[in-house]
Amino acid sequence: MQKEWDGSKVDIILEDVENEKHIRRRFNGALQGLTDEQVTAFTQALSIVNALPVSYAAVVEEYRYTF
């Protein structure tokens, strides 16, 4: 079987303290092999334009397997 990269997404989790919940925002189309610095810079940029504070970020990588 051959492993092929199929895409990546970045999930940003925002913390809504007033309503006691977390809100997930997903950004599709991320590049393959994102570095920690790139994700941190993206998270910091979103925290500037968003009213809710960013709790954490996660990179979701998708792969497909072919024969």
Side-chain angles (χ1 to χ4, degrees):
M1 288 192 354
Q2 185 176 3
K3 182 179 177 179
E4 296 178 17
W5 178 74
D6 196 33
S8 294
K9 301 170 179 63
V10 177
D11 285 348
I12 303 293
I13 309 301
L14 305 169
E15 188 174 357
D16 186 356
V17 178
E18 286 184 19
N19 297 314
E20 298 179 358
K21 63 181 178 178
H22 289 87
I23 301 167
R24 182 187 76 187
R25 295 289 181 241
R26 176 166 279 179
F27 297 89
N28 297 321
L31 299 174
Q32 183 178 11
L34 288 175
T35 65
D36 290 340
E37 292 81 17
Q38 291 171 317
V39 176
T40 301
F42 182 64
T43 304
Q44 288 174 346
L46 287 176
S47 67
I48 291 171
V49 298
N50 198 338
L52 298 174
V54 175
S55 182
Y56 64 93
V59 176
V60 179
E61 293 183 337
E62 297 176 347
Y63 293 91
R64 65 179 157 203
Y65 296 89
T66 58
F67 292 104

